[in-house]
Amino acid sequence: MNWRKLLWVTRKDLRLIARDRSALVSLIVVPIIVILVVAETQGGGSSNILLPIVNEDEGPVANALIKVFREHLDVQVVDRARAEALVRDENQAAAMLVLPGGMSKRYLTNKPSTIELLTDPAQGTELSAIKAVMLLADREAASLGDPFHEELLDLQERALTGKRLKFSSLEQNVPGFSVTFVLLSLLFSVSFGLRDEEAWGTSGRIAIAPVTPWAVLGGKLFARILVGAAQLTLLLGFGHFMYHLSLGHSVVAFVLTVFAIVFSMACFSMIIAAIARTREQIIPAGLSSMFILASIGGCWWPFFEQPKWMQTIAQAAMTTWSMLALHDVMLREKTLMEIAPELLFLFAYGGVSFLIGQRLFRYAET
């Protein structure tokens, strides 16, 4: 008889689960989306890496080198000012190559030339891939004209975005995982916190209390922002003391960057809380949002491993701008004025998200 009662209970619970169609859809659709994002990301390669080349030589040796690089990288031949902007200001390229004037003539007369490689060490993975392609080009170029042979071309590397030539993998990974954990914490704490208010009868009290709904939501959100900012600061501080992670030269820039990142994420969490109308819907909605935003935002792997269409979509994610701002402050040691565009975007992102979330969020009727 106990087995019969067990089946009755199981049948009752399955009927309750089947009523929440949104949660059922999330169980299937969301994992498929996450798998698609991960699979597309892993399909990238060095062909997505941009390498600006300043061709001041325009001779046969320079043309041979550019031909080899085009087979492995996304080469753009531009002037020096544009190349420096792509590396130093826009962070779209990890390095630029300068082929000096007269290189071909000197090579033909067995005189050495120096090729400049101006880099952004903060994009260490892309930079390593470029150097690997340069080694490959060394071998392939031998069959085209042997430009590297007899050491007639010397490579001189110089950082364009700071004083250091390279960073450790931890210095690049710790910020990404710190942002991921803070995002995960905010998504669930904000969503569960707001939904728990339903069980406590908050909607009824708000209806008769002399306070506006946005003030209630704003107050609860501000508490989460303070906790999230403290969490992100502690995680990055742990990386600083344990692994000598640089926090940059400007304390004001660092603090404002942390606050802007957490503000944008906490406000975005309100949209998830508004969309997920039940506690059962919060888990798949929160996890899927975290996986997608962290993966396309550069928290787990570099942007160049993503296809172009995904890189375009990533420009609308706050995680992308969060990682850009953190790298600018911590690795490139930029000042507050230099990172102002990223901070303004994050604050605007959070403000718009709060308005959308406040508009959509409703306490369920109890």
Side-chain angles (χ1 to χ4, degrees), residues 191-207:
S191 300
F192 280 125
L194 292 177
R195 286 301 164 199
D196 284 342
E197 299 287 350
E198 295 172 353
W200 302 337
T202 300
S203 57
R205 293 198 297 271
I206 289 178

PDB file of all heavy atoms in Angstrom, residues 191-207:
ATOM      1  N   SER A 191      17.020  37.799  -7.124  1.00  0.00           N
ATOM      2  CA  SER A 191      15.796  37.126  -7.564  1.00  0.00           C
ATOM      3  C   SER A 191      15.103  36.411  -6.409  1.00  0.00           C
ATOM      4  O   SER A 191      13.898  36.577  -6.192  1.00  0.00           O
ATOM      5  CB  SER A 191      16.129  36.118  -8.680  1.00  0.00           C
ATOM      6  OG  SER A 191      16.703  36.769  -9.788  1.00  0.00           O
ATOM      7  N   PHE A 192      15.853  35.611  -5.652  1.00  0.00           N
ATOM      8  CA  PHE A 192      15.241  34.896  -4.531  1.00  0.00           C
ATOM      9  C   PHE A 192      14.769  35.868  -3.453  1.00  0.00           C
ATOM     10  O   PHE A 192      13.719  35.666  -2.835  1.00  0.00           O
ATOM     11  CB  PHE A 192      16.225  33.892  -3.938  1.00  0.00           C
ATOM     12  CG  PHE A 192      16.326  32.620  -4.716  1.00  0.00           C
ATOM     13  CD1 PHE A 192      17.543  32.157  -5.192  1.00  0.00           C
ATOM     14  CD2 PHE A 192      15.183  31.855  -4.975  1.00  0.00           C
ATOM     15  CE1 PHE A 192      17.625  30.979  -5.914  1.00  0.00           C
ATOM     16  CE2 PHE A 192      15.264  30.672  -5.699  1.00  0.00           C
ATOM     17  CZ  PHE A 192      16.485  30.233  -6.179  1.00  0.00           C
ATOM     18  N   GLY A 193      15.565  36.920  -3.224  1.00  0.00           N
ATOM     19  CA  GLY A 193      15.181  37.885  -2.207  1.00  0.00           C
ATOM     20  C   GLY A 193      13.856  38.556  -2.521  1.00  0.00           C
ATOM     21  O   GLY A 193      12.990  38.698  -1.644  1.00  0.00           O
ATOM     22  N   LEU A 194      13.660  38.949  -3.778  1.00  0.00           N
ATOM     23  CA  LEU A 194      12.413  39.608  -4.156  1.00  0.00           C
ATOM     24  C   LEU A 194      11.235  38.630  -4.127  1.00  0.00           C
ATOM     25  O   LEU A 194      10.130  38.995  -3.717  1.00  0.00           O
ATOM     26  CB  LEU A 194      12.562  40.232  -5.547  1.00  0.00           C
ATOM     27  CG  LEU A 194      13.525  41.419  -5.627  1.00  0.00           C
ATOM     28  CD1 LEU A 194      13.661  41.905  -7.064  1.00  0.00           C
ATOM     29  CD2 LEU A 194      13.043  42.562  -4.739  1.00  0.00           C
ATOM     30  N   ARG A 195      11.477  37.390  -4.580  1.00  0.00           N
ATOM     31  CA  ARG A 195      10.378  36.420  -4.588  1.00  0.00           C
ATOM     32  C   ARG A 195       9.997  35.979  -3.163  1.00  0.00           C
ATOM     33  O   ARG A 195       8.853  35.629  -2.896  1.00  0.00           O
ATOM     34  CB  ARG A 195      10.768  35.199  -5.428  1.00  0.00           C
ATOM     35  CG  ARG A 195      10.739  35.487  -6.918  1.00  0.00           C
ATOM     36  CD  ARG A 195       9.367  35.927  -7.357  1.00  0.00           C
ATOM     37  NE  ARG A 195       9.389  36.559  -8.674  1.00  0.00           N
ATOM     38  CZ  ARG A 195       8.438  37.345  -9.135  1.00  0.00           C
ATOM     39  NH1 ARG A 195       7.377  37.613  -8.378  1.00  0.00           N
ATOM     40  NH2 ARG A 195       8.517  37.877 -10.325  1.00  0.00           N
ATOM     41  N   ASP A 196      10.972  35.982  -2.257  1.00  0.00           N
ATOM     42  CA  ASP A 196      10.659  35.617  -0.870  1.00  0.00           C
ATOM     43  C   ASP A 196       9.708  36.619  -0.232  1.00  0.00           C
ATOM     44  O   ASP A 196       8.992  36.290   0.720  1.00  0.00           O
ATOM     45  CB  ASP A 196      11.948  35.534  -0.044  1.00  0.00           C
ATOM     46  CG  ASP A 196      12.732  34.262  -0.348  1.00  0.00           C
ATOM     47  OD1 ASP A 196      12.132  33.327  -0.908  1.00  0.00           O
ATOM     48  OD2 ASP A 196      13.934  34.223  -0.040  1.00  0.00           O
ATOM     49  N   GLU A 197       9.741  37.855  -0.755  1.00  0.00           N
ATOM     50  CA  GLU A 197       8.850  38.868  -0.207  1.00  0.00           C
ATOM     51  C   GLU A 197       7.379  38.479  -0.397  1.00  0.00           C
ATOM     52  O   GLU A 197       6.519  38.909   0.365  1.00  0.00           O
ATOM     53  CB  GLU A 197       9.109  40.221  -0.884  1.00  0.00           C
ATOM     54  CG  GLU A 197      10.508  40.753  -0.694  1.00  0.00           C
ATOM     55  CD  GLU A 197      10.744  41.269   0.718  1.00  0.00           C
ATOM     56  OE1 GLU A 197       9.756  41.386   1.470  1.00  0.00           O
ATOM     57  OE2 GLU A 197      11.907  41.530   1.072  1.00  0.00           O
ATOM     58  N   GLU A 198       7.118  37.672  -1.436  1.00  0.00           N
ATOM     59  CA  GLU A 198       5.730  37.251  -1.683  1.00  0.00           C
ATOM     60  C   GLU A 198       5.199  36.446  -0.506  1.00  0.00           C
ATOM     61  O   GLU A 198       4.068  36.634  -0.058  1.00  0.00           O
ATOM     62  CB  GLU A 198       5.655  36.434  -2.966  1.00  0.00           C
ATOM     63  CG  GLU A 198       6.013  37.218  -4.211  1.00  0.00           C
ATOM     64  CD  GLU A 198       6.121  36.323  -5.428  1.00  0.00           C
ATOM     65  OE1 GLU A 198       6.053  35.095  -5.264  1.00  0.00           O
ATOM     66  OE2 GLU A 198       6.257  36.853  -6.532  1.00  0.00           O
ATOM     67  N   ALA A 199       6.045  35.531  -0.016  1.00  0.00           N
ATOM     68  CA  ALA A 199       5.608  34.687   1.105  1.00  0.00           C
ATOM     69  C   ALA A 199       5.429  35.497   2.378  1.00  0.00           C
ATOM     70  O   ALA A 199       4.689  35.098   3.277  1.00  0.00           O
ATOM     71  CB  ALA A 199       6.627  33.577   1.326  1.00  0.00           C
ATOM     72  N   TRP A 200       6.116  36.632   2.443  1.00  0.00           N
ATOM     73  CA  TRP A 200       6.026  37.457   3.640  1.00  0.00           C
ATOM     74  C   TRP A 200       4.907  38.496   3.558  1.00  0.00           C
ATOM     75  O   TRP A 200       4.762  39.344   4.441  1.00  0.00           O
ATOM     76  CB  TRP A 200       7.348  38.166   3.891  1.00  0.00           C
ATOM     77  CG  TRP A 200       8.497  37.207   4.046  1.00  0.00           C
ATOM     78  CD1 TRP A 200       8.440  35.898   4.403  1.00  0.00           C
ATOM     79  CD2 TRP A 200       9.886  37.497   3.818  1.00  0.00           C
ATOM     80  NE1 TRP A 200       9.686  35.328   4.422  1.00  0.00           N
ATOM     81  CE2 TRP A 200      10.606  36.290   4.067  1.00  0.00           C
ATOM     82  CE3 TRP A 200      10.601  38.626   3.427  1.00  0.00           C
ATOM     83  CZ2 TRP A 200      11.985  36.201   3.938  1.00  0.00           C
ATOM     84  CZ3 TRP A 200      11.973  38.550   3.314  1.00  0.00           C
ATOM     85  CH2 TRP A 200      12.657  37.345   3.560  1.00  0.00           C
ATOM     86  N   GLY A 201       4.153  38.486   2.436  1.00  0.00           N
ATOM     87  CA  GLY A 201       3.040  39.412   2.299  1.00  0.00           C
ATOM     88  C   GLY A 201       3.448  40.847   2.030  1.00  0.00           C
ATOM     89  O   GLY A 201       2.733  41.792   2.389  1.00  0.00           O
ATOM     90  N   THR A 202       4.598  41.047   1.388  1.00  0.00           N
ATOM     91  CA  THR A 202       5.071  42.407   1.131  1.00  0.00           C
ATOM     92  C   THR A 202       4.136  43.179   0.218  1.00  0.00           C
ATOM     93  O   THR A 202       3.921  44.386   0.402  1.00  0.00           O
ATOM     94  CB  THR A 202       6.480  42.357   0.506  1.00  0.00           C
ATOM     95  OG1 THR A 202       7.347  41.694   1.420  1.00  0.00           O
ATOM     96  CG2 THR A 202       7.003  43.753   0.237  1.00  0.00           C
ATOM     97  N   SER A 203       3.575  42.469  -0.795  1.00  0.00           N
ATOM     98  CA  SER A 203       2.711  43.176  -1.749  1.00  0.00           C
ATOM     99  C   SER A 203       1.525  43.817  -1.040  1.00  0.00           C
ATOM    100  O   SER A 203       1.134  44.951  -1.360  1.00  0.00           O
ATOM    101  CB  SER A 203       2.224  42.198  -2.826  1.00  0.00           C
ATOM    102  OG  SER A 203       1.540  41.106  -2.233  1.00  0.00           O
ATOM    103  N   GLY A 204       0.963  43.104  -0.058  1.00  0.00           N
ATOM    104  CA  GLY A 204      -0.165  43.662   0.673  1.00  0.00           C
ATOM    105  C   GLY A 204       0.237  44.866   1.509  1.00  0.00           C
ATOM    106  O   GLY A 204      -0.489  45.866   1.583  1.00  0.00           O
ATOM    107  N   ARG A 205       1.417  44.784   2.139  1.00  0.00           N
ATOM    108  CA  ARG A 205       1.857  45.901   2.970  1.00  0.00           C
ATOM    109  C   ARG A 205       2.200  47.128   2.141  1.00  0.00           C
ATOM    110  O   ARG A 205       1.953  48.263   2.528  1.00  0.00           O
ATOM    111  CB  ARG A 205       3.066  45.469   3.806  1.00  0.00           C
ATOM    112  CG  ARG A 205       2.728  44.405   4.860  1.00  0.00           C
ATOM    113  CD  ARG A 205       3.810  44.345   5.925  1.00  0.00           C
ATOM    114  NE  ARG A 205       5.098  43.934   5.357  1.00  0.00           N
ATOM    115  CZ  ARG A 205       5.479  42.660   5.246  1.00  0.00           C
ATOM    116  NH1 ARG A 205       4.654  41.702   5.634  1.00  0.00           N
ATOM    117  NH2 ARG A 205       6.636  42.360   4.750  1.00  0.00           N
ATOM    118  N   ILE A 206       2.808  46.886   0.944  1.00  0.00           N
ATOM    119  CA  ILE A 206       3.160  48.023   0.087  1.00  0.00           C
ATOM    120  C   ILE A 206       1.913  48.762  -0.382  1.00  0.00           C
ATOM    121  O   ILE A 206       1.899  49.988  -0.531  1.00  0.00           O
ATOM    122  CB  ILE A 206       3.981  47.527  -1.126  1.00  0.00           C
ATOM    123  CG1 ILE A 206       5.369  47.090  -0.665  1.00  0.00           C
ATOM    124  CG2 ILE A 206       4.094  48.614  -2.187  1.00  0.00           C
ATOM    125  CD1 ILE A 206       6.236  46.551  -1.787  1.00  0.00           C
ATOM    126  N   ALA A 207       0.826  47.999  -0.606  1.00  0.00           N
ATOM    127  CA  ALA A 207      -0.410  48.610  -1.106  1.00  0.00           C
ATOM    128  C   ALA A 207      -0.970  49.644  -0.139  1.00  0.00           C
ATOM    129  O   ALA A 207      -1.626  50.603  -0.553  1.00  0.00           O
ATOM    130  CB  ALA A 207      -1.438  47.519  -1.385  1.00  0.00           C
TER     131      ALA A 207
END
